[in-house]
Amino acid sequence: MAKLLSCVLGPRLYKIYRDRDSERAPASVPETPTAVTAPHSSSWDTYYQPRALEKHADSILALASVFWSISYYSSPFAFFYLYRKGYLSLSKVVPFSHYAGTLLLLLAGVACLRGIGRWTNPQYRQFITILEATHRNQSSENKRQLAKYNFDFRSWPVDFHWEEPSSRKESRGGPSRRGVALLRPEPLHRGTADTLLNRVKKLPCQITSYLVAHTLGRRMLYPGSVYLLQKALMPVLLQGQARLVEECNGRRAKLLACDGNEIDTMFVDRRGTAEPQGQKLVICCEGNAGFYEVGCISTPLEAGYSVLGWNHPGFAGSTGVPFPQNEANAMDVVVQFAIHRLGFQPQDIIIYAWSIGGFTATWAAMSYPDVSAVILDASFDDLVPLALKVMPDSWRGLVTRTVRQHLNLNNAEQLCRYLGPVLLIRRTKDEIITTTVPEDIMSNRGNDLLLKLLQHRYPRVMAEEGLQVVRQWLEASSQLEEASIYSRWEVEEDWCLSVLRSYQAEHGPDFPWSVGEDMSADGRRQLALFLARKHLHNFEATHCTPLPAQNFQMPWHL
């Protein structure tokens, strides 16, 4: 009876993975709380085949879930319509509640029938036995057995806790349950006294900004968190996950962040291969509709690196919602997991981000300054200009206030706090992070990210002459034009390197540098062009084109 109840309440099973050598050596051990029988099969891997009763009951419950999601998103309009028609009176609400209660009872009955269907299936009973044993005792053998199943990630046991590192328990400066530290925006009106009257005056605007951010704004910024989109992508995500597990020997893990969100991760270990890059770990930060199953993780994988992918809060197996604080909390536990559980030193970790993933990548670089390098592909400096691009001009004040208070993705500000090597990849046909049209390459916000980084690190070089010549170089629409501008100013790379190395040897590596202070205008132009070319590479493609492995290069450093 207990097993039947476990089948009723258990998670949905999607796929069963098999070891390549399972046919030759079908291992089995006694079924105990610490070890359970290994599943047998004549094939290497297979989709789980539910019995008819479970299959049809699952279809009904999935359809009910979709209807509930549609009802949730349309509820404001539905309530408004019902109110106008007078259907929200007590005499009409009571019968409706009876109908709703009856429907819930029917769905509970369908769930029980699904449980009976699972109970009659030996594959599911085998799975639920392994899952229960792993929850009781997370031994390495039980985890190995559980890793052969792909199921609803909500039931996966937690593999790593944010407080697990001993340094976190002893330190008072680490993250609290409120979250890790973020850079806060300055007040819009500096010098204004924050009196009670001013707070009351601001209250309506603050409430409006909060509502916009938590309804329309968050879903526009992170469409991948929308349940209906995830439901439509489920077959693709399952296929991508199977590829990572079966072809790349990926290991899935659940991490618990300081805010209570559970983060879905996938680790591919290449340290045992002949590839020298395998000793380095690339932590991948996906875009606003990207998932590690089908995202930018494929680029460093093809290049031979060890890779750790993770999903944003609210994406696929990760819980929560993708607000900046939650994003940073998730990134923090991912880096801690890489260092304290996977055994990588910060000097062996590379942060790689695509698009909106630049926020968590720059936060990690700012918070973990010893990481080896940062690579930002198709990223931007600040969210406000891009948000204003897609909203009416009359909403400018509301949009700016909402972004700054609730959705402040200040990538450039965070990146300037990092002292290590940085490479920016600009898509020359990018249609997402341009503020006008894709053909206007100067409206690409990657340009602003580069300029802010160089102006912070080399303020004397990026004075008027240097800034002007870098803008000319950024405006070039082809490699030929870039080379023409580079040769026009007769940039001597050996001289530039010697100047920078001499300064570093004398003053140390900490930025900002005052190099170029006593230099001629031509010298500053040469240095500015040299530095711009080292920090930014062009890729002739649109925003969503996968980055080829040959374009995944380590950033330049002295």
Side-chain angles (χ1 to χ4, degrees):
M1 198 65 188
K3 187 66 68 178
L4 176 59
L5 183 62
S6 297
C7 291
V8 172
L9 302 178
R12 185 174 182 183
L13 179 59
Y14 299 115
K15 190 167 184 175
I16 305 172
Y17 305 122
R18 297 287 186 252
D19 295 328
R20 289 179 185 269
D21 57 351
S22 60
E23 270 191 281
R24 295 195 303 268
S28 64
V29 291
E31 186 173 333
T32 66
T34 58
V36 292
T37 306
H40 304 278
S41 176
S42 59
S43 62
W44 175 33
D45 65 276
T46 177
Y47 279 99
Y48 167 65
Q49 298 297 329
R51 298 286 174 86
L53 185 59
E54 179 188 355
K55 182 178 180 180
H56 295 312
D58 248 338
S59 300
I60 294 171
L61 292 174
L63 188 62
S65 178
V66 170
F67 279 132
W68 168 254
S69 182
I70 294 173
S71 302
Y72 174 78
Y73 291 122
S74 61
S75 58
F77 305 102
F79 274 112
F80 180 74
Y81 175 79
L82 293 174
Y83 175 77
R84 291 292 302 269
K85 294 294 184 179
Y87 293 142
L88 294 182
S89 61
L90 188 63
S91 60
K92 294 183 179 180
V93 168
V94 171
F96 175 77
S97 64
H98 292 163
Y99 297 142
T102 303
L103 180 61
L104 289 175
L105 286 175
L106 289 173
L107 291 176
V110 172
C112 291
L113 291 175
R114 180 180 65 177
I116 294 172
R118 291 171 171 176
W119 185 64
T120 60
N121 191 324
Q123 282 187 321
Y124 194 90
R125 289 206 311 272
Q126 177 83 56
F127 156 70
I128 206 69
T129 300
I130 294 174
L131 179 61
E132 289 176 340
T134 308
H135 276 289
R136 287 193 298 267
N137 187 336
Q138 293 194 34
S139 66
S140 57
E141 175 62 21
N142 284 346
K143 284 189 174 182
R144 188 184 69 83
Q145 298 290 349
L146 189 64
K148 296 178 181 180
Y149 295 92
N150 188 353
F151 56 96
D152 190 338
F153 200 62
R154 287 173 293 186
S155 298
W156 190 285
V158 173
D159 296 288
F160 184 83
H161 193 281
W162 70 280
E163 283 185 321
E164 188 169 316
S166 58
S167 58
R168 288 291 177 91
K169 297 175 182 177
E170 298 168 2
S171 173
R172 294 183 179 179
S176 65
R177 294 190 181 277
R178 290 185 175 182
V180 297
L182 292 179
L183 298 180
R184 300 297 176 184
E186 294 184 358
L188 293 178
H189 304 288
R190 298 183 63 182
T192 306
D194 192 18
T195 62
L196 179 61
L197 181 60
N198 282 332
R199 290 183 181 181
V200 172
K201 288 180 178 178
K202 294 176 183 176
L203 190 59
C205 294
Q206 290 175 345
I207 292 174
T208 304
S209 295
Y210 179 89
L211 293 175
V212 169
H214 285 75
T215 53
L216 179 66
R218 190 258 296 175
R219 291 172 176 84
M220 287 183 64
L221 188 59
Y222 289 95
S225 65
V226 176
Y227 172 77
L228 293 176
L229 178 61
Q230 293 185 34
K231 195 75 175 174
L233 291 175
M234 181 62 74
V236 179
L237 299 182
L238 291 176
Q239 186 178 6
Q241 200 167 93
R243 181 184 66 86
L244 291 170
V245 171
E246 296 165 359
E247 298 178 15
C248 305
N249 295 318
R251 300 204 308 263
R252 200 177 186 188
K254 177 186 282 189
L255 317 183
L256 185 65
C258 60
D259 52 13
N261 287 336
E262 298 169 346
I263 307 303
D264 183 6
T265 68
M266 180 68 74
F267 171 55
V268 178
D269 195 353
R270 296 280 178 78
R271 284 174 289 189
T273 65
E275 298 281 353
Q277 307 96 297
Q279 303 302 315
K280 295 279 189 179
L281 175 70
V282 179
I283 298 180
C284 299
C285 305
E286 299 291 346
N288 65 353
F291 303 80
Y292 73 68
E293 292 89 341
V294 290
C296 65
I297 190 174
S298 60
T299 298
L301 271 179
E302 290 178 18
Y305 291 88
S306 294
V307 175
L308 177 60
W310 61 283
N311 281 328
H312 297 283
F315 282 51
S318 297
T319 62
V321 287
F323 281 104
Q325 183 66 67
N326 298 347
E327 289 276 295
N329 295 341
M331 188 64 185
D332 179 66
V333 76
V334 168
V335 176
Q336 289 291 321
F337 176 68
I339 296 171
H340 295 283
R341 178 61 62 83
L342 302 181
F344 287 91
Q345 295 300 315
Q347 296 81 3
D348 294 324
I349 295 176
I350 300 155
I351 311 294
Y352 169 50
W354 172 63
S355 190
I356 210 169
F359 173 74
T360 47
T362 54
W363 180 89
M366 173 185 70
S367 304
Y368 295 88
D370 293 332
V371 296
S372 175
V374 174
I375 303 174
L376 303 179
D377 178 16
S379 198
F380 52 89
D381 62 323
D382 187 36
L383 181 61
V384 169
L386 297 174
L388 293 173
K389 161 193 170 183
V390 298
M391 302 303 287
D393 282 341
S394 57
W395 290 24
R396 176 176 290 270
L398 174 63
V399 170
T400 303
R401 187 184 307 108
T402 301
V403 170
R404 287 285 177 249
Q405 291 180 358
H406 303 283
L407 302 166
N408 191 34
L409 305 186
N410 50 344
N411 298 352
E413 187 181 5
Q414 293 183 152
L415 186 61
C416 288
R417 304 291 183 98
Y418 175 62
L419 305 179
V422 175
L423 174 64
L424 308 179
I425 300 174
R426 181 179 68 165
R427 309 292 184 106
T428 57
K429 299 177 181 178
D430 201 309
E431 72 282 15
I432 301 298
I433 64 167
T434 49
T435 54
T436 55
V437 293
E439 292 75 20
D440 183 11
I441 198 169
M442 282 307 291
S443 70
N444 188 310
R445 296 304 300 188
N447 301 333
D448 301 85
L449 184 57
L450 173 70
L451 293 174
K452 289 176 181 178
L453 178 65
L454 294 182
Q455 285 175 316
H456 170 76
R457 292 189 169 189
Y458 312 98
R460 307 299 184 190
V461 173
M462 293 300 292
E464 185 177 353
E465 303 89 353
L467 183 62
Q468 184 178 5
V469 76
V470 170
R471 287 187 182 277
Q472 290 177 8
W473 180 77
L474 289 171
E475 200 170 357
S477 57
S478 66
Q479 291 184 354
L480 188 63
E481 286 185 35
E482 285 180 35
S484 174
I485 294 171
Y486 206 71
S487 60
R488 184 193 312 166
W489 295 105
E490 300 178 344
V491 179
E492 299 178 18
E493 295 198 353
D494 291 339
W495 174 80
C496 293
L497 279 172
S498 66
V499 169
L500 295 172
R501 284 171 178 163
S502 298
Y503 182 92
Q504 185 185 52
E506 185 177 350
H507 298 90
D510 292 347
F511 295 109
W513 287 7
S514 58
V515 63
E517 192 171 19
D518 301 321
M519 193 177 289
S520 67
D522 283 345
R524 286 196 292 271
R525 289 190 186 97
Q526 286 192 50
L527 266 182
L529 277 175
F530 174 80
L531 290 167
R533 196 177 193 184
K534 293 297 184 184
H535 284 82
L536 184 140
H537 293 175
N538 280 324
F539 175 44
E540 193 171 345
T542 57
H543 188 77
C544 296
T545 303
L547 184 72
Q550 62 266 25
N551 290 75
F552 187 80
Q553 303 170 6
M554 288 301 101
W556 168 83
H557 63 91
L558 282 174

